[in-house]
Amino acid sequence: MSHGRSTRLIVALDTKDTAQAVSWREQVAGPAGMVKLGLEFTYACGLDAVRRAAGGSPLFLDLKLHDIPNTVASAIGSLAALRPAMLTIHASGGRAMIAAARKAVDETFPADARPLLLAVTVLTSMDETALHETGVEGSVEAQVLRLGALAMDSGADGLVCSSHEIAPLRAALGDRPVLVVPGIRPAGSALGDQKRVMTPAQASAAGADWIVVGRPITRADDPAAAAAAIAAELEKARS
C-alpha cells in the first residue's frame, strides 16, 4: 500500500578520489534526486572538490556536525558557499546546538537556498548492545524517538534514521519531519557494516522521504543501471 509520499533516491559517493566521484555522479544523475558526499570525501579532497564532485546535482552534505553551539554555527557559515540542499548535525548535541544550527542556516543562506537541516538520531551501524555500551539504556527505538522529538522541537527540518524507525517516528511526529534513511540495501545485497536495513520498496512503504544508497550502486558493474533499477522500484512502490 502506498503512503502517498514520493520517496526519492540519494546516491552516496563514498570515495577519496574526485575523478571517481565525478564519474559516478555523471552516471547516476538521471535516476538520482541528489548525491551525498560525506566525511571520507570531504576530509580527503576538500571543499572545492566537493563542489566539483556535486556538479549541478543537488548535494546532501553529510558531515554530522557535533560540537559546542557556537562552533557548529560557525562551521555552517563556512559551508554556505557550497549551497548544499541538505546538511546534517547530530541530535545528541542537544537543544542549544540544534537551535544554533537552525539560526546559522537561517542567517547564512538566502531564503530561497536554505538547506534542509537534518538531525542524525542513532547511527544505523548501532544496535541495542552498542547503544547500551555508550551508557544509553532502553531500546534503539526509544532513543531515536527521544532525539527525534528533541531535534524537531529545536528547529530541525528532518531526521536521519534507520528504516526500522520510520514508522515509529511517523506515528510520533506525523508528516512534519523530512525522513532521510540510510542503510538501504536492494534485495540480495551484502549488508556491509549496516545492522538495521530494509529494501527500497520497504522503506518507501514505511514512509521515507529519501533513501540513501551507496555501494550497491557505486560498486555495481553498471552504476547507472543499478540506480535506475532502484528508482524504478521506488516508482513501483508508489503505484
Side-chain angles (χ1 to χ4, degrees), residues 124 161-168 181-184 196-199 203 206:
T124 54
C161 67
S162 153
S163 54
H164 294 283
E165 282 88 54
I166 302 169
V181 185
I184 299 298
R196 307 197 314 283
V197 301
M198 278 186 180
T199 67

Side-chain angles (χ1 to χ4, degrees), residues 6 15 25 51 63 90 94 123 128 134 138 178 184 222-223 236:
S6 177
T15 178
R25 185 254 302 158
R51 186 182 292 106
L63 301 182
H90 266 291
L123 296 170
E128 199 159 290
T134 69
V178 174
I184 299 298
D222 186 342
K236 184 178 179 182

Side-chain angles (χ1 to χ4, degrees), residues 46-120:
L47 297 184
D48 285 342
V50 169
R51 186 182 292 106
R52 292 199 302 276
S57 295
L59 171 63
F60 175 21
L61 188 58
D62 185 24
L63 301 182
K64 298 182 179 71
L65 303 176
H66 190 179
D67 212 310
I68 63 173
N70 285 344
T71 299
V72 167
S74 184
I76 287 173
S78 299
L79 298 170
L82 295 176
R83 291 290 185 265
M86 295 177 178
L87 273 175
T88 50
I89 59 176
H90 266 291
S92 55
R95 184 180 302 277
M97 191 203 82
I98 299 165
R102 171 81 268 155
K103 187 169 186 284
V105 165
D106 292 346
E107 292 181 351
T108 306
F109 290 83
D112 61 351
R114 285 177 187 150
L116 293 175
L117 182 64
L118 304 174
V120 177

Side-chain angles (χ1 to χ4, degrees), residues 95-213:
R95 184 180 302 277
M97 191 203 82
I98 299 165
R102 171 81 268 155
K103 187 169 186 284
V105 165
D106 292 346
E107 292 181 351
T108 306
F109 290 83
D112 61 351
R114 285 177 187 150
L116 293 175
L117 182 64
L118 304 174
V120 177
T121 52
V122 175
L123 296 170
T124 54
S125 60
M126 297 186 76
D127 56 16
E128 199 159 290
T129 298
L131 197 62
H132 291 173
E133 287 174 342
T134 69
V136 177
E137 297 302 328
S139 68
V140 170
E141 181 179 310
Q143 179 70 352
V144 168
L145 291 173
R146 182 182 301 114
L147 290 175
L150 171 66
M152 295 306 297
D153 190 50
S154 304
D157 295 302
L159 306 168
V160 179
C161 67
S162 153
S163 54
H164 294 283
E165 282 88 54
I166 302 169
L169 283 167
R170 288 287 180 223
L173 301 174
D175 288 336
R176 190 163 61 100
V178 174
L179 296 185
V180 176
V181 185
I184 299 298
R185 292 288 183 269
S189 296
L191 293 182
D193 57 3
Q194 305 284 355
K195 294 183 178 177
R196 307 197 314 283
V197 301
M198 278 186 180
T199 67
Q202 288 170 333
S204 178
D209 291 297
W210 294 87
I211 61 168
V212 183
V213 182

